[in-house]
């Protein structure tokens, strides 16, 4: 008991506020079980559908030799489902504006970036839950993990960093548009190129040249490649580092850069 009191005494107010916001987000998600269920099960449904509809891709030119389509698709679906779930962060941000919660946060002695960080942690938790469920569904379809423990850990790191970037991106869209219905449509327009301008569903070598160039700027494409490499046991350090840097760059672009743009140095009148 004394140790707990000491820990509480030394914990900063920022930490307490962050914990309160994370708990609040998790409780809010749990209060809508239908949305929670669809968010967690949609990736499994897409995996089953895509693995059957596009499995003929494995017989085409440019497809990796000796790789089954389910092994090729599963790691990409981890990245794609993370992008899809990112739209939930945007809708949640918009709802916080419509019900006045963000105005309430602004009136409190609280760091302005804490709600966004709490939202990111919330998305990371659900990302790991979706990955577990997706893995179970993939195993039932014949998926096999060819990597080692290091590959599994590195894949989870890539996935969580991508989730943070997607949460920041769609959260920024929600903060700007501030209408849940509009955010859903805007999120779809952003989500589609992130998903399909990549090697998620077919090798990039089978796509037009301009799409290959665009994929080099797509953090989801790099994440899908790194995740696939770790699943197949063929990932390089460069693949993993590139995927993490691309996701962090997107996070910085939508989180740090707009904040710098709002900064105005004060001048002292003479």
């Amino acid at each position: 008991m004394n140790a707990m009191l000491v820990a509480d005494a030394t914990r900063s107010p920022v930490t307490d506020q962050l914990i309160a916001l994370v708990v609040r987000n998790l409780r809010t998600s749990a209060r809508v079980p239908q949305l929670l269920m669809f968010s967690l099960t949609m990736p499994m449904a897409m995996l089953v559908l895509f693995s059957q509809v596009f499995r003929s891709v494995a017989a085409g030119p440019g497809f990796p030799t000796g790789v089954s389509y389910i092994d090729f698709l599963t790691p990409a679906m981890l990245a794609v489902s993370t992008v899809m779930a990112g739209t939930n962060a945007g809708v949640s941000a918009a709802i916080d504006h419509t019900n006045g919660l963000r105005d309430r946060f602004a009136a409190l002695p609280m760091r302005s970036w804490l709600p966004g960080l709490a939202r990111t942690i919330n998305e990371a938790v659900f990302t790991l839950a979706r990955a577990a469920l997706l893995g179970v569904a993939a195993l039932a379809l014949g998926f096999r993990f060819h990597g080692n423990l290091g590959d599994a850990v590195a894949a989870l790191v890539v996935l969580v960093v991508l989730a943070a970037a997607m949460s920041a991106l769609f959260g920024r869209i929600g903060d700007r548009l501030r209408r849940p219905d509009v955010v859903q449509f805007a999120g779809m327009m952003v989500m589609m190129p992130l998903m399909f301008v990549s090697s998620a569903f077919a090798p990039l070598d089978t796509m037009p040249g301009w799409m290959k160039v665009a994929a080099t700027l797509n953090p989801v494409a790099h994440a899908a490649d790194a995740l696939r490499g770790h699943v197949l046991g063929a990932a390089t350090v460069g693949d993993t580092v590139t995927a993490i840097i691309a996701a962090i760059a997107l996070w910085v672009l939508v989180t740090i850069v707009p904040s710098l743009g709002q900064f105005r140095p004060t001048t002292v009148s003479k």
Side-chain angles (χ1 to χ4, degrees):
M1 178 64 73
N2 291 335
M4 293 177 61
L5 292 175
V6 172
D8 290 339
T10 57
R11 198 164 59 191
S12 68
V14 173
T15 302
D16 290 334
Q17 292 169 350
L18 178 60
I19 292 174
L21 289 171
V22 170
V23 172
R24 176 254 172 191
N25 286 343
L26 292 174
R27 286 178 176 173
T28 301
S29 300
R31 286 174 185 153
V32 190
Q34 299 88 346
L35 178 60
L36 185 61
M37 180 189 68
F38 286 121
S39 174
L40 293 175
T41 58
M42 178 64 76
M44 292 191 296
M46 289 186 63
L47 178 68
V48 174
L49 179 64
F50 280 42
S51 65
Q52 302 305 308
V53 173
F54 297 122
R55 61 182 178 180
S56 60
V57 172
F63 195 84
T65 304
V67 178
S68 66
Y69 189 65
I70 188 64
D71 289 352
F72 180 88
L73 178 64
T74 299
M77 282 304 306
L78 289 172
V80 167
S81 63
T82 302
V83 178
M84 294 174 58
T87 58
N88 295 335
V91 173
S92 298
I95 292 175
D96 286 347
H97 282 285
T98 57
N99 62 18
L101 188 61
R102 291 306 295 267
D103 292 335
R104 174 60 176 162
F105 285 160
L108 294 175
M110 181 175 65
R111 304 292 177 87
S112 60
W113 46 266
L114 278 178
L117 178 58
R119 196 163 54 225
T120 297
I121 295 174
N122 184 72
E123 286 303 311
V125 170
F126 285 109
T127 294
L128 296 177
R130 278 190 300 271
L133 292 175
L134 196 64
V136 172
L139 288 173
L141 294 171
F143 168 77
R144 293 295 178 268
F145 184 79
H146 302 276
N148 53 33
L149 180 60
D151 286 308
V153 172
L156 287 178
V157 171
V158 170
L159 199 60
V160 169
V161 175
L162 179 65
M166 292 298 107
S167 175
L169 171 62
F170 290 103
R172 175 65 63 179
I173 293 174
D175 288 334
R176 293 298 299 270
L177 298 181
R178 302 190 178 190
R179 285 188 53 179
D181 52 345
V182 178
V183 171
Q184 286 181 326
F185 284 105
M188 183 69 69
M189 292 183 65
V190 175
M191 180 178 65
M192 295 298 282
L194 288 174
M195 289 170 50
F196 290 103
V197 183
S198 70
S199 62
F201 305 110
L204 280 175
D205 291 338
T206 64
M207 301 178 187
W210 67 266
M211 190 170 287
K212 297 179 185 179
V213 175
T216 62
L217 302 175
N218 184 359
V220 179
H222 293 295
D225 290 340
L227 290 170
R228 183 175 292 123
H230 287 297
V231 163
L232 299 177
T236 65
V237 175
D239 294 334
T240 306
V241 171
T242 300
I244 293 175
I245 290 177
I248 292 176
L250 176 61
W251 182 86
V252 170
L253 182 64
V254 300
T255 304
I256 305 299
V257 173
S259 299
L260 294 176
Q262 294 173 358
F263 174 76
R264 294 292 185 274
T266 57
T267 58
V268 179
S269 58
K270 296 181 179 180

